Amino acid sequence: MIPVMIIEDEFLVRVGLKTSIDWEGCGYEVVTEAEDGEGAVEKFRQFYPKLVVTDIRLPKKDGL
């Protein structure tokens, strides 16, 4: 499984991304998620995902 990280500040969008896609059926696994840029950096260093799905406009740091 390829590890995936979802970064989105809006809760419902984050849940929608996580549940509306058959990640496992495509060979991916959502290993972590974050709601702001600073938390995302910390979690990225902890989990080292191969794929990051991110919002560009985030609190504290942008998604770029």
Side-chain angles (χ1 to χ4, degrees):
M1 292 287 195
I2 298 170
V4 176
M5 177 179 188
I6 297 175
I7 310 167
E8 172 58 58
D9 58 332
E10 295 184 39
F11 176 76
L12 291 178
V13 175
R14 195 168 60 245
V15 169
L17 284 169
K18 193 172 163 183
T19 58
S20 66
I21 297 171
D22 181 15
W23 293 102
E24 290 184 15
C26 296
Y28 297 93
E29 177 185 10
V30 177
V31 293
T32 190
E33 54 188 75
E35 60 187 35
D36 62 55
E38 288 181 356
V41 171
E42 293 175 18
K43 289 184 177 185
F44 183 88
R45 290 181 178 150
Q46 182 181 359
F47 291 95
Y48 290 104
K50 299 288 183 186
L51 175 66
V52 175
V53 179
T54 184
D55 188 358
I56 294 175
R57 293 185 182 182
L58 295 166
K60 301 181 184 175
K61 285 189 174 187
D62 63 36
L64 297 176

